Structures are given as C-alpha cells and as structure tokens.
Amino acid sequence: MPGRDDEFTAYVTARAPWLRRVAYLLCQDWHRADDLVQTAITRLYLRWHRASAADNLDGYARTVLVRVFLAEQRGGWLRRVRLVAEPPDGPGGTPDPDGGLDLRDALAALPARQRAAVVLRFYCDLSVEQTAGVLNCSTGTVKSQTSRGLDALRRALRPVQSLTDGENPA
C-alpha cells in the first residue's frame, strides 16, 4: 500500500532521532538503542493501521519502544551476553568532569523499570497516569518505581564532599 508506506516512512524519518534518544536513555548504549528503535519501528509498521489512527502517535511509538526495552530486559539474552565497546584489557577511560556523564552512569545503574519510569516521567514529561499506561502497571507502581529511582539517583549523585564531612551515606 503506497500511501500507507509513504506515511509510515515520513513519520519514522521525522521521529527516529527522538526515538533513538529515548532508547539511549533507557539502555545507555547507542548501538543497543539503535537495535531497540529498529525493533520498535518494525512492530510499529506491523500495527501501522492502528498506530496511525491513534490520538497521540508519538505516545503510541514511545509505548512500543519502552515495551520492547522492558521485554529485552526480561529475556535471558541480555544476562548471558555483555556488550562492551572495547576489549576488557583496553585502557581505562578518564573521568569526565561534566555532570552529564555522572547522571547517565547513575541512570544506567537503575533497574530497568525504575529507569523507564524516571525517563518517561522526567525526560518524556508524562504524567503518572500516562506512564502507567506505557508501562502497563498501576499508578501506585509508577509512583513507587519513580520514587525509588529518584532516591537511587540522589544517592549516586551526592557530592563526595558531603560524604567526607561525616555524613552518613545511607
């Protein structure tokens, strides 16, 4: 169907960079983000008749992407295979003084559902109800996952100075 394919191609061309950024925030790896986006747009294409009729096409695509990410997290493949940019005996990287890398590292350390809740709530600016719809869970679960995720981020990003001044790290 030429009209359908043209419409789909136009949408994906326009929104692929945004989907890739969301995927990166979820998985913390650009190559894996590309794989997630590819899987998500394949699923989106298969359901394009339903997706294109949705009130919020970006929301529909984002939901597909997040569910692909969470399904991958649950699967055994990710636990058995560890993807690394360099061989393990390569030289260590130098710490970046910018806080952006610290935030990404702290975000990467969160469990998948907490990370998804934080990204959806604060990067995608979704409400608790919208996030619950994307994650297919209750609003209470979204609130608890977001709260736990933010607590973990605060602990991970706490300045080293405050820990040396006798403050209890717990």
Side-chain angles (χ1 to χ4, degrees):
M1 296 169 43
R4 172 187 166 190
D5 288 350
D6 292 342
E7 185 181 301
F8 175 79
T9 301
Y11 175 77
V12 169
T13 301
R15 299 308 284 159
W18 170 75
L19 286 168
R20 188 172 184 248
R21 283 191 303 273
V22 172
Y24 176 78
L25 287 173
L26 292 170
C27 71
Q28 302 295 303
D29 177 89
W30 286 112
H31 299 293
R32 208 168 135 218
D34 290 336
D35 292 343
L36 289 172
V37 169
Q38 183 62 46
T39 302
I41 63 173
T42 300
R43 290 187 185 174
L44 190 63
Y45 180 77
L46 294 174
R47 295 174 184 87
W48 186 246
H49 65 281
R50 184 183 313 160
S52 61
D55 292 336
N56 182 355
L57 184 52
D58 284 343
Y60 192 99
R62 182 183 49 239
T63 298
V64 171
L65 177 66
V66 170
R67 290 183 180 170
V68 165
F69 165 72
L70 291 174
E72 182 184 274
Q73 293 296 112
R74 285 188 295 269
W77 181 85
L78 189 63
R79 290 187 193 97
R80 292 189 309 266
V81 176
R82 179 171 160 83
L83 302 175
V84 293
E86 291 185 37
D89 9 284
T94 57
D96 187 88
D98 296 330
L101 290 179
D102 294 337
L103 178 59
R104 283 185 291 226
D105 289 344
L107 192 59
L110 293 178
R113 288 190 68 86
Q114 287 179 16
R115 189 177 332 139
V118 169
V119 168
L120 290 171
R121 291 280 291 124
F122 299 104
Y123 181 75
C124 296
D125 201 28
L126 296 186
S127 69
V128 171
E129 293 77 17
Q130 291 168 321
T131 302
V134 171
L135 295 177
N136 200 24
C137 64
S138 71
T139 57
T141 299
V142 169
K143 291 175 186 178
S144 67
Q145 292 293 309
T146 304
S147 176
R148 289 179 187 140
L150 290 175
D151 286 344
L153 288 174
R154 286 183 191 108
R155 282 192 308 275
L157 298 173
R158 183 177 295 149
V160 176
Q161 173 77 32
S162 66
L163 294 178
T164 59
D165 290 340
E167 182 180 307
N168 184 357

